[in-house]
Amino acid sequence: MGRANRNRRACGALVTGLGCALIFPALGVEALKRVLPANRGSAMGAFVAFLDIAYGFAGPAAGLVAGQFGYAAVYLLGAACALLGGGLIVTARSHQA
């Protein structure tokens, strides 16, 4: 049982790492497209800082939610955050038009 759980954790860490490795440069490119070339260093620094803050808060927040409401609630929270993010994108695009 212990080895199977270790393998699952390793697979979960691998999938998470691959997802982060793919999304980080893609989001960075999008963030840098929106600023002047002279400000790209500051924009990248802010992007990385806020991404690190998000990573720092997400794990403990998910743990608190799982502890209070169970693991299914963590996925529900993730879905709600994704929908909220989609809503922010739609709102931002409608203000640009």
Side-chain angles (χ1 to χ4, degrees):
M1 178 86 170
R3 185 163 177 85
N5 281 337
R6 192 174 338 144
N7 289 341
R8 274 193 211 140
R9 286 192 302 260
C11 287
L14 176 69
V15 170
T16 301
L18 288 173
C20 291
L22 293 173
I23 198 68
F24 178 78
L27 289 176
V29 167
E30 288 302 315
L32 294 180
K33 281 183 185 177
R34 301 185 187 308
V35 296
L36 296 172
N39 296 333
R40 287 189 179 157
S42 296
M44 192 64 184
F47 169 71
V48 170
F50 281 101
L51 192 64
D52 287 345
I53 291 168
Y55 285 155
F57 279 110
L64 288 172
V65 169
Q68 291 292 322
F69 305 106
Y71 286 108
V74 175
Y75 293 102
L76 184 61
L77 176 64
C81 289
L83 289 172
L84 179 63
L88 289 172
I89 289 170
V90 169
T91 302
R93 285 189 178 168
S94 68
H95 288 316
Q96 287 179 353

